[in-house]
Amino acid sequence: METNCEKDLFKFLPFSSCINPSFWFELNRVKLDDYRLDDDFKNLKGFYSNCSSNDLPPIMNFDYSSFQETNDKTKNGHISTIIINGKIKIFNTINEFNVLDKNKLLDEFGNAIWNDIKTGRALDDPNLLIRFCLIVFANLKSYTFHYWFAFPAITFPLKSYYQLKTNKFTEIFTSEQSNKIIENMTNFQLKNEHHQSFFAIEFETLNVLTVKEAIDRHNLGKRILFGFYDPNSQSNHPGWPLRNYLALLALKCKKTDEEKRNLEVISFRDRYHGGARTLDHSLVILVEVFNISEDEEKVNTIGWERNEKSQLHPRVVNMSGSMNTEKLAESAVSLNLKLMKWRIAPDINLDIIKNQKCLLLGSGTLGCNVARCLMIILNGESKDNHKSIKAAENLKLIYPGVNAKGVVLSIPMPGHYVGDNLRSKVKDDVKQLEQLIKEHDVIFLLMDTRESRWLPTVIAAAEKKLVINSALGFDSYLVMRHGVKTGDPDKDELPKNFQPNQQIPSNHLGCYFCNDIVAPGNSTVDRTLDQQCTVSRPGLSMVASALAVELFANVMQHPLRLQVPSFSSNESISGCEESCLGIVPHQIRGYLHSFSNILPASQAFDKCTACSNEIIQMYKKDGFDFLLKVFNDPTYLEDITGLKELKTALDQTETDFVTELSDSEEFEKF
């Protein structure tokens, strides 16, 4: 519908910047890797389209590709997309950003556009009429960016443009003519190196002309409609690119004797409906322009973008939620777990695992692999060169958000004599270990020697903590959970008539030492190097470590948590109540030689040297004095638990059995 405007002042809708998050990622990269301290202006690209949805303001888009410099025409995008060249300046300090003379900078860009108009460069490349400037201060520690866009447009004091008449495109051209113009426009864009923002249409022939050709024909008296790709779809007012275009036309088109003259302008707005390209939303506007000359005394520049509050002030964006490496790593770590809840394990409780404090004793192959799987907290035991501290530091390299702490700690062991000169240090080590076990929920025993596991087992049993134990042979491994006492002597008392296939409550499950009738002692005496070191097949520690973590996870996901029972045979396990992740065995014994596992369960031993009631009560009563006797006397544990009497009785039984055979049997002599 035709709209008559009695010399209405021409209004232009300014660009609004639209920044894809990938833009900030790339800016962060180029500042760190390429620009560094160089704060000179660098090339930057933006792009806009003339086929935006209805009721959208003019939008200039920016993403990671804005920093890429390429002359490849295939990367220009859709035919309705116009690539605009601009500049970016990244300041090194916020003070430099703040004190910059913004008006002076904008005038410099405006003068460059005006010079291109006067010299004719803008006739050869009309896209020079649209430019932008971006100033940024990037705080790469907090991932906050202070920025301000300018889209320079030149103005002339006391001289204005007027909108005399506005028609829809379809009121000027028929459907057939519109289709012809679309065809000519497509050919026009394809033959240019870059998509052109500005063009013109010769009314008689419907040919699409360059701006330079169009001005020449207009000056010869031809009816020319000067067009531009309009990014605005919000109203009958044109977008920002027309401002500088009118300045070019006002200077280069043939002047009349009058101070003002009229030009026809096409606001070219593409639409696609039903797969067909239409120009129904395009406008034809009759504009009154004034005469200007190259000697204009005053040329002003406007164009700083307003912020969210419509104020002429910079914007600030905080990208720490998506760019902070710790948060990115945390998101990546949690992604797999969260996806489990979608479909595979909807009942899994992620928080109960996340909130567990895990103490890893041992920072060798087992300790490091368990820590890598857990990614929760690492407290390590080490006898050499601060391995646990280094392990914690390396964990942070893998996942910066991990709450990992390395502790250098020498664990006192049975049979390892403690002299008077070492007593104070050993006492401090015991106190530190006790404190660590009290502060944590789950204790992983991952040390090299059998005797180094004794003291943590005793303390954890006294504190009623869950213990996950993992040990390696050459091609075999053991992963087990220790039983967790209730603290009630009556409930913790072991049954006298245990039967095979009987369910074993958690407080009756055996520990690592329950199957031994020999007290732990110094296992490194009189051993060669290959016997002192853990010599195993290369993949064994990773298999055992993974199973240790998975056993811990299954315990935590079971409704009974630490009190989950086990069964005494492989056949009966399938009948027990499972967690959402599956069964919760007592032990996993694996053999790489045959690539097989068995899942035995064993009741606690009433004469166990680590978890029996006698040991726990003496530890609670006498504390370090009791432990000191264990460290200095290799036979002390066997004496107080009754193992010595048991072995004596067994030896006597074997002697009696042999004597009986000697008296009753005749042996063939050879």
Side-chain angles (χ1 to χ4, degrees):
M1 173 179 284
E2 177 178 317
T3 300
N4 291 306
C5 303
E6 189 116 357
K7 295 197 63 135
D8 282 349
L9 193 65
F10 218 155
K11 298 179 181 179
F12 307 87
L13 272 78
F15 274 114
S16 296
S17 59
C18 181
I19 305 176
N20 187 285
S22 64
F23 176 87
W24 301 117
F25 280 84
E26 187 64 7
L27 187 149
N28 181 78
R29 187 196 66 79
V30 298
K31 177 61 176 175
L32 287 173
D33 299 339
D34 301 330
Y35 299 168
R36 300 179 185 178
L37 292 176
D38 185 357
D39 60 357
D40 292 336
F41 278 101
K42 307 294 182 183
N43 293 330
L44 193 70
K45 293 183 179 180
F47 56 96
Y48 78 86
S49 172
N50 74 327
C51 60
S52 302
S53 301
N54 291 336
D55 299 322
L56 286 179
I59 294 175
M60 185 76 76
N61 298 279
F62 301 87
D63 61 16
Y64 74 96
S65 65
S66 297
F67 293 90
Q68 299 174 356
E69 296 188 14
T70 176
N71 294 320
D72 188 352
K73 187 178 179 181
T74 61
K75 297 184 179 180
N76 285 346
H78 190 270
I79 197 170
S80 298
T81 299
I82 305 297
I83 295 178
I84 302 302
N85 293 312
K87 296 289 184 179
I88 182 174
K89 181 180 179 69
I90 305 177
F91 291 89
N92 292 313
T93 68
I94 186 64
N95 185 60
E96 292 175 339
F97 178 89
N98 290 332
V99 302
L100 174 72
D101 189 335
K102 313 294 193 302
N103 291 329
K104 180 180 178 182
L105 177 65
L106 190 61
D107 285 338
E108 290 174 358
F109 276 83
N111 289 333
I113 294 174
W114 177 234
N115 287 332
D116 287 342
I117 291 175
K118 291 190 296 182
T119 60
R121 287 189 66 216
L123 289 176
D124 298 325
D125 185 6
N127 282 354
L128 292 174
L129 296 173
I130 310 176
R131 299 182 193 182
F132 65 86
C133 166
L134 171 60
I135 56 174
V136 183
F137 167 69
N139 187 331
L140 303 185
K141 286 187 177 180
S142 63
Y143 300 98
T144 55
F145 300 86
H146 299 251
Y147 70 99
W148 204 352
F149 275 97
F151 303 96
I154 56 178
T155 63
F156 303 89
L158 304 178
K159 294 182 179 181
S160 302
Y161 306 103
Y162 291 92
Q163 187 171 347
L164 303 180
K165 184 189 296 184
T166 301
N167 293 91
K168 288 187 175 181
F169 192 86
T170 53
E171 294 174 342
I172 304 297
F173 298 99
T174 65
S175 177
E176 290 77 14
Q177 289 176 321
S178 296
N179 291 335
K180 181 64 176 177
I181 291 173
I182 290 174
E183 179 182 351
N184 291 341
M185 178 61 68
T186 301
N187 294 332
F188 171 79
Q189 295 289 16
L190 290 176
K191 71 180 182 181
N192 283 287
E193 184 178 356
H194 301 288
H195 297 162
Q196 296 297 305
S197 305
F198 305 98
F199 61 93
I201 295 176
E202 187 174 15
F203 187 80
E204 293 180 2
T205 63
L206 303 182
N207 290 333
V208 177
L209 309 173
T210 65
V211 175
K212 188 174 185 179
E213 293 171 340
I215 290 176
D216 290 339
R217 297 194 183 190
H218 173 272
N219 292 342
L220 293 175
K222 299 289 184 179
R223 183 182 178 184
I224 301 295
L225 291 82
F226 296 94
F228 75 104
Y229 272 51
D230 190 357
N232 180 46
S233 62
Q234 206 170 34
S235 65
N236 288 337
H237 299 294
W240 203 245
L242 184 56
R243 265 193 178 276
N244 293 335
Y245 193 23
L246 289 179
L248 171 70
L249 298 178
L251 179 65
K252 297 298 182 179
C253 287
K254 184 178 180 180
K255 299 176 178 61
T256 62
D257 294 334
E258 299 181 6
E259 185 178 348
K260 300 178 181 179
R261 59 200 189 281
N262 299 337
L263 297 174
E264 289 180 283
V265 173
I266 296 178
S267 173
F268 198 75
R269 301 173 179 176
D270 270 341
R271 289 295 184 277
Y272 290 85
H273 181 71
R277 185 181 180 188
T278 68
L279 302 177
D280 295 348
H281 290 76
S282 297
L283 304 175
V284 178
I285 306 171
L286 184 63
V287 186
E288 182 182 274
V289 300
F290 43 80
N291 293 332
I292 59 175
S293 67
E294 295 181 0
D295 301 324
E296 289 290 327
E297 294 181 357
K298 183 66 175 176
V299 178
N300 293 335
T301 308
I302 59 175
W304 284 112
E305 183 184 20
R306 295 181 180 270
N307 64 12
E308 308 83 24
K309 298 179 180 179
S310 296
Q311 299 173 338
L312 286 173
H313 198 271
R315 301 183 182 220
V316 180
V317 60
N318 187 337
M319 297 296 293
S320 61
S322 57
M323 292 187 67
N324 186 296
T325 55
E326 293 188 12
K327 293 187 177 182
L328 289 174
E330 181 179 358
S331 177
V333 168
S334 63
L335 178 62
N336 182 58
L337 296 175
K338 291 181 178 180
L339 289 179
M340 289 182 186
K341 292 180 68 70
W342 284 26
R343 197 188 309 260
I344 300 172
D347 297 327
I348 190 172
N349 188 337
L350 299 178
D351 289 336
I352 195 169
I353 296 179
K354 181 179 180 181
N355 294 331
Q356 297 301 304
K357 295 181 179 179
C358 299
L359 174 63
L360 277 59
L361 295 175
S363 53
T365 54
L366 281 173
C368 290
N369 285 326
V370 168
R372 181 65 177 86
C373 289
L374 281 175
M375 280 297 180
I376 299 176
I377 183 166
L378 171 65
N379 287 336
E381 171 273 329
S382 178
K383 300 174 186 175
D384 54 55
N385 201 24
H386 300 76
K387 287 198 302 182
S388 59
I389 295 177
K390 190 63 178 178
E393 293 173 352
N394 289 338
L395 272 184
K396 291 180 181 292
L397 295 177
I398 300 172
Y399 171 30
V402 67
N403 183 11
K405 178 183 177 182
V407 176
V408 178
L409 176 65
S410 179
I411 298 179
M413 295 173 279
H416 291 246
Y417 186 81
V418 178
D420 293 339
N421 60 327
L422 294 176
R423 183 171 299 183
S424 176
K425 179 184 182 305
V426 170
K427 188 174 183 179
D428 291 339
D429 288 339
V430 170
K431 186 176 180 179
Q432 184 178 15
L433 181 60
E434 290 173 335
Q435 187 63 31
L436 287 171
I437 291 178
K438 288 179 182 179
E439 293 173 350
H440 292 80
D441 304 306
V442 184
I443 317 302
F444 285 81
L445 303 185
L446 309 164
M447 297 84 91
D448 286 334
T449 62
R450 176 172 172 265
E451 62 266 28
S452 64
R453 301 165 190 259
W454 179 83
L455 182 56
T457 299
V458 173
I459 300 173
E463 296 294 336
K464 298 186 287 293
K465 301 286 187 177
L466 174 64
V467 172
I468 303 293
N469 203 326
S470 183
L472 303 178
F474 170 67
D475 61 356
S476 61
Y477 58 85
L478 166 67
V479 176
M480 68 180 299
R481 60 186 174 102
H482 292 185
V484 180
K485 307 292 185 181
T486 64
D488 186 334
D490 294 332
K491 291 182 179 179
D492 292 339
E493 185 178 355
L494 297 173
K496 304 300 182 183
N497 55 346
F498 178 76
Q499 299 295 325
N501 300 329
Q502 178 180 324
Q503 188 180 46
I504 307 176
S506 174
N507 59 322
H508 292 169
L509 287 173
C511 76
Y512 183 71
F513 297 92
C514 278
N515 292 333
D516 293 333
I517 59 171
V518 179
N522 193 337
S523 62
T524 61
V525 175
D526 296 326
R527 287 195 174 190
T528 60
L529 180 62
D530 63 319
Q531 293 173 321
Q532 294 178 29
C533 299
T534 302
V535 180
S536 59
R537 291 177 57 169
L540 197 68
S541 66
M542 286 172 272
V543 174
S545 300
L547 288 174
V549 174
E550 293 297 336
L551 179 58
F552 155 69
N554 279 28
V555 171
M556 291 296 105
Q557 293 303 311
H558 196 280
L560 297 178
R561 302 290 189 266
L562 305 187
Q563 299 304 321
V564 55
S566 188
F567 283 73
S568 59
S569 71
N570 291 338
E571 291 75 22
S572 300
I573 285 180
S574 60
C576 69
E577 183 182 359
E578 298 182 2
S579 74
C580 63
L581 297 178
I583 63 174
V584 187
H586 176 215
Q587 302 178 37
I588 307 169
R589 293 180 179 268
Y591 308 90
L592 284 188
H593 177 75
S594 57
F595 288 95
S596 61
N597 287 336
I598 60 172
L599 307 176
S602 61
Q603 183 176 273
F605 184 30
D606 62 350
K607 293 180 175 55
C608 176
T609 57
C611 72
S612 63
N613 289 335
E614 182 71 17
I615 295 296
I616 301 304
Q617 292 306 319
M618 293 192 69
Y619 164 73
K620 288 183 175 180
K621 179 183 177 182
D622 299 327
F624 183 72
D625 291 336
F626 161 71
L627 297 178
L628 193 60
K629 294 177 183 178
V630 174
F631 302 152
N632 290 340
D633 186 355
T635 65
Y636 183 65
L637 286 174
E638 294 184 1
D639 293 337
I640 63 175
T641 58
L643 272 182
K644 186 175 182 179
E645 292 82 359
L646 178 62
K647 290 197 294 182
T648 300
L650 289 175
D651 290 340
Q652 185 61 44
T653 301
E654 181 179 353
T655 301
D656 293 342
F657 179 73
V658 173
T659 302
E660 182 180 340
L661 285 178
S662 300
D663 294 339
S664 59
E665 298 286 337
E666 292 184 3
F667 293 93
E668 183 177 355
K669 296 182 180 180
F670 294 90

